[in-house]
């Protein structure tokens, strides 16, 4: 079995799946309100910290909300607290996160907060991200009808 990209904050999960591997689809299924989006963002954050260029398709929120999530994670602040009072993270720390972690060379986001994206558009976005050098895609709240 090929070993993939390790996400160190989830050692038990990584020992079971042997990391995230290029060319493979990993699907996370869980009941509503169980933390799937938080898990996706944590995995995405860990990928960014490891220097793995990745794309995030968070289909039920806008790009600003996703950026805020990454800033909160990077600065060890509870996201609702940061949204309610952004000044709890010093401006220099926010700028450091943006300039080192959320750079266009490292962090690709697609703004489609409507949550309605067809299979052809998903494939187009993933192909585009691959051309831009993304090694991993995180897609949250994807459903087709």
């Amino acid at each position: 079995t090929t070993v993939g990209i390790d996400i160190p904050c989830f050692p038990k999960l990584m020992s079971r799946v042997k990391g995230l591997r290029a060319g493979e689809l990993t699907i996370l299924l869980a009941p509503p309100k169980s933390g799937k989006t938080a898990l996706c963002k944590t995995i995405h954050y860990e990928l960014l910290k490891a220097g793995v260029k990745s794309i995030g398709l968070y289909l039920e929120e806008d790009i600003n909300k996703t950026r805020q999530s990454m800033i909160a994670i990077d600065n060890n602040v509870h996201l609702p607290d940061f949204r309610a009072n952004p000044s709890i993270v010093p401006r220099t720390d926010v700028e450091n996160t943006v300039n080192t972690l959320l750079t266009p060379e490292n962090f690709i986001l697609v703004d489609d907060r409507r949550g309605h994206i067809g299979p052809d558009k998903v494939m187009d976005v993933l192909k585009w991200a691959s051309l831009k050098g993304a090694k991993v895609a995180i897609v949250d709240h994807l459903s087709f009808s």
Side-chain angles (χ1 to χ4, degrees):
T1 301
T2 304
V3 176
I5 301 165
D6 184 49
I7 308 297
C9 65
F10 298 112
K12 288 182 182 177
L13 175 62
M14 291 299 111
S15 72
R16 287 191 175 115
V17 300
K18 306 295 185 241
L20 302 176
R21 288 173 297 286
E24 288 189 7
L25 176 65
T26 303
I27 299 174
L28 174 65
L29 300 171
K33 303 291 181 191
S34 61
K36 295 178 298 294
T37 297
L39 178 61
C40 286
K41 287 181 180 176
T42 301
I43 290 171
H44 196 175
Y45 171 78
E46 291 294 332
L47 291 168
L48 292 169
K49 288 295 283 187
V52 177
K53 189 168 186 174
S54 52
I55 179 172
L57 239 64
Y58 297 92
L59 298 176
E60 291 190 349
E61 65 185 32
D62 64 29
I63 287 173
N64 187 49
K65 188 172 181 180
T66 304
R67 280 191 186 112
Q68 287 174 335
S69 299
M70 296 298 170
I71 292 166
I73 292 169
D74 195 41
N75 290 281
N76 202 27
V77 173
H78 189 55
L79 180 58
D81 295 340
F82 178 59
R83 287 203 179 114
N85 181 11
S87 66
I88 63 173
V89 177
R91 187 76 195 145
T92 54
D93 293 348
V94 170
E95 290 172 1
N96 184 52
T97 298
V98 170
N99 293 330
T100 60
L101 192 68
L102 306 182
T103 65
E105 298 79 31
N106 195 36
F107 187 55
I108 303 170
L109 288 175
V110 175
D111 193 358
D112 192 328
R113 69 188 121 194
R114 296 177 310 276
H116 304 288
I117 184 171
D120 293 337
K121 170 100 184 218
V122 169
M123 291 309 298
D124 288 345
V125 168
L126 295 176
K127 288 175 189 173
W128 171 81
S130 178
L131 290 171
K132 292 286 192 177
K135 301 297 180 202
V136 176
I138 306 287
V139 183
D140 187 41
H141 290 103
L142 180 66
S143 63
F144 297 127
S145 54

